[in-house]
Amino acid sequence: MATATGRFYLNNFREVLRQYGDGVSRLLCILVFAVLLSVRLENMRQKAGLHVDEILSIQNADCNGDISNQLIEQSEKYGKEYIGKEVKEHYLWNESSVEAAFSDVKKLYIDNRDRPHTNLYYSCLRLWFAGITTTDIRIIIDHGCRLNLLFFTFSFIFLYMLLRRLLDGDFLIPFSLFIAFANTGSISNTMFLRPYQLQETLLILFTFLFVKCNECIADGRQLDQKMLYGLVTATGLTLLSGYYATIYVLMLFGGLFVRADYAKQHGNCVWISGALVLSILLARSLFQGFFYGFSCGRAGESYRNISSLCKINESMGVFNNSLRSYLFDETLIWLAFIWVAVLLLTRRQFIHIPVIFLCCFCWSFLCSIAMPIPSVRYIMPCFPLLIQIFPFLISRRSGSLYYIVAGATAFLTVGYWCSPPSVKYLFTKQAQQIQLLCEKKSLPVVVLADENWKFCYILHLFNDEQRYVFVSSTKTLESRLKTYDSVLVLYFTVAYDENQLLQILRKDFMVTKLQSFGDFFSLCELKRK
């Protein structure tokens, strides 16, 4: 009886989908977008601080590095004392005019002062903050995340357009969009004020145009001028979204070229080669220093990592942990990879979603090897494309199994969403750290660090009216401490021998270690004996 009732409801559901499938699908997609946007807005509300690289994004975008690089020099040579608000103005937005924003974009076109990255995201961020001058971290978080929410919206639209071309079944499209953007990796990407959310958007757009071009080749049609302009623009921008994207671009262009050559469409082979060359020239025309990124120090480090067998073994663990923690079960993804490899080798068919999955998998694995520091940030942009292999597998099932597998996949996605380590880059503990300094705001703070940019690690701690002095050596620190009876000392633990430093401080002061801020800075309170 129960089985008959279940079949009755299932058949009715299928009938509704057949009659109103397209309209229901679009309505479900809008509902999915509303849910995913709400989740991101809630995480944006919870985000309490900024990563050091997020502050460096602002510093690079605002082209104010020359000022902030003088903090130690001004303090050590001239005894200059700063208040917290003044320090934050040096590192954060300090010029609100639209003219200044366009002037900074022009400077970024010539040199973004950050060789491992291009100027595209920094230019977008600078224009987004045009007209805003603030040192309020809360305002910066909210406004910066709104830019990423805009990129996320375009990601959702582009992926919807892509899935309309690739998936059969109206129910699968909203389901695919949900698992693409509900994973904690994609949510974390939106919360991080770095180029990776923009890169996600452009990877999806580029993949959509790749599919359109491949469909023309499959139909035996000549690629036209309109498609050339679209692909060249999307590819050029994708190359500017981050240097690792070059690997993915070359993979898909290689696939197009091989497909056209196999079909003996020599005109399209020339067209594809020309489009790649024009895309590189477009990237160079939009960023004068584009080619420098392939020969900078970080690039050399990436080349060495790829050629090191030891690094490959280490990267395997990083890669699997990133998948498990922020996307989906890594065992299922590896099994999907093996299945796709066997499918493409045995059938010798160019099936879009398996090919895209294979390219994304190889790209993310290569990035895990090449990355200078182990971090999920480098591979998060491909997560929405990588996970599409599961809707594709579901589409090959029929009957009740179709809905059972889809429901199980959605359940697992939500399960991973709710499990630790959950969403990255929220820095909820920074509020407690700020409170600690607020309780001591009457005391001056001597900050010991060997380089100016490292103050970005602790910028959220600076109280607007508290006094700060910056030094780079223990000798200068001893000299400055002579003028204080009670003082706080913030020191960069990685650059100095902590035991030796504390021994120096204890000569004249009673030292109370208050807190360590991550693995980088520690705070002590000193009272003269």
Side-chain angles (χ1 to χ4, degrees), residues 318-439:
V318 173
F319 178 65
N320 287 333
N321 184 61
S322 296
L323 296 178
R324 179 173 58 252
S325 300
Y326 299 103
L327 182 61
F328 209 63
D329 184 81
E330 78 276 19
T331 305
L332 293 177
I333 293 174
W334 274 99
L335 288 173
F337 169 72
I338 294 168
W339 179 84
V340 165
V342 172
L343 174 72
L344 295 177
L345 287 172
T346 55
R347 293 200 178 183
R348 297 184 181 276
Q349 290 180 318
F350 198 100
I351 309 171
H352 281 120
I353 290 183
V355 168
I356 292 167
F357 168 80
L358 188 65
C359 291
C360 285
F361 185 93
C362 294
W363 177 73
S364 55
F365 187 67
L366 284 172
C367 287
S368 297
I369 299 170
M371 63 178 68
I373 54 172
S375 175
V376 69
R377 69 171 77 173
Y378 298 105
I379 64 173
M380 285 190 301
C382 79
F383 281 0
L385 292 170
L386 184 68
I387 204 169
Q388 293 310 313
I389 192 63
F390 294 107
F392 174 77
L393 293 172
I394 291 167
S395 70
R396 299 169 72 87
R397 306 277 68 84
S398 60
S400 303
L401 188 60
Y402 174 95
Y403 298 100
I404 292 171
V405 175
T409 307
F411 178 78
L412 283 172
T413 302
V414 174
Y416 275 87
W417 177 11
C418 299
S419 62
S422 195
V423 179
K424 280 176 72 72
Y425 308 120
L426 298 184
F427 306 107
T428 52
K429 293 182 180 179
Q430 285 194 8
Q432 300 170 359
Q433 297 171 356
I434 293 168
Q435 182 60 35
L436 176 65
L437 266 292
C438 284
E439 293 170 359

Side-chain angles (χ1 to χ4, degrees), residues 11 22 98 173 412 432 469 479 499 514:
N11 290 332
D22 192 52
V98 176
I173 294 175
L412 283 172
Q432 300 170 359
V469 172
S479 174
N499 292 328
L514 298 178

Side-chain angles (χ1 to χ4, degrees), residues 16-214:
V16 170
L17 285 182
R18 269 195 293 270
Q19 291 182 16
Y20 309 103
D22 192 52
V24 171
S25 175
R26 290 181 182 180
L27 185 62
L28 287 173
C29 288
I30 293 171
L31 181 62
V32 167
F33 176 75
V35 170
L36 295 173
L37 182 62
S38 299
V39 168
R40 282 162 170 76
L41 288 171
E42 173 58 23
N43 280 280
M44 188 176 87
R45 186 190 64 80
Q46 294 179 25
K47 185 175 169 72
L50 294 170
H51 188 277
V52 56
D53 288 344
E54 294 178 289
I55 294 175
L56 289 173
S57 288
I58 296 168
Q59 189 180 13
N60 285 324
D62 202 31
C63 295
N64 58 8
D66 294 339
I67 301 173
S68 57
N69 286 337
Q70 297 172 8
L71 290 177
I72 291 177
E73 180 185 343
Q74 294 292 322
S75 266
E76 287 190 330
K77 285 189 176 181
Y78 308 110
K80 183 171 175 58
E81 205 172 61
Y82 296 87
I83 61 171
K85 186 173 183 179
E86 190 178 3
V87 175
K88 286 192 280 189
E89 283 175 350
H90 289 331
Y91 283 90
L92 302 175
W93 305 111
N94 57 19
E95 179 58 70
S96 64
S97 69
V98 176
E99 292 80 6
F102 280 103
S103 174
D104 287 339
V105 169
K106 185 177 179 181
K107 292 175 185 175
L108 289 168
Y109 162 72
I110 298 169
D111 181 15
N112 69 345
R113 299 168 303 130
D114 183 18
R115 289 288 173 83
H117 298 92
T118 70
N119 67 332
L120 182 60
Y121 175 73
Y122 295 144
S123 298
C124 292
L125 189 67
R126 184 65 188 96
L127 293 174
W128 186 254
F129 273 88
I132 294 177
T133 302
T134 183
T135 59
D136 189 320
I137 299 294
R138 182 72 259 163
I139 293 174
I140 291 170
I141 289 171
D142 289 344
H143 199 63
C145 283
R146 287 189 197 107
L147 176 61
N148 277 0
L149 288 174
L150 179 64
F151 293 145
F152 158 70
T153 301
F154 282 113
S155 291
F156 190 92
I157 293 169
F158 294 148
L159 188 59
Y160 172 79
M161 293 162 57
L162 176 64
L163 294 175
R164 293 270 297 183
R165 304 184 83 92
L166 298 183
L167 289 177
D168 295 325
D170 295 311
F171 168 74
L172 268 183
I173 294 175
F175 166 76
S176 302
L177 290 167
F178 176 77
I179 67 169
F181 298 111
N183 58 80
T184 54
S186 180
I187 299 169
S188 299
N189 207 12
T190 310
M191 295 300 105
F192 195 35
L193 307 186
R194 291 293 282 170
Y196 307 106
Q197 177 63 59
L198 174 60
Q199 187 173 71
E200 174 195 283
T201 304
L202 292 171
L203 285 176
I204 296 171
L205 174 62
F206 169 67
T207 304
F208 170 72
L209 291 169
F210 157 78
V211 168
K212 287 188 69 175
C213 292
N214 189 59

Side-chain angles (χ1 to χ4, degrees), residues 441-482:
K441 63 183 179 181
S442 60
L443 296 176
V445 182
V446 179
V447 186
L448 173 64
D450 55 334
E451 295 179 89
N452 284 286
W453 71 267
K454 291 176 180 175
F455 300 140
C456 294
Y457 283 106
I458 53 170
L459 199 64
H460 64 281
L461 298 174
F462 285 29
N463 293 304
D464 284 356
E465 302 305 322
Q466 198 161 14
R467 293 173 292 141
Y468 295 87
V469 172
F470 300 93
V471 296
S472 61
S473 68
T474 53
K475 184 177 180 181
T476 311
L477 175 65
E478 284 187 273
S479 174
R480 294 308 300 264
L481 289 177
K482 290 177 182 178

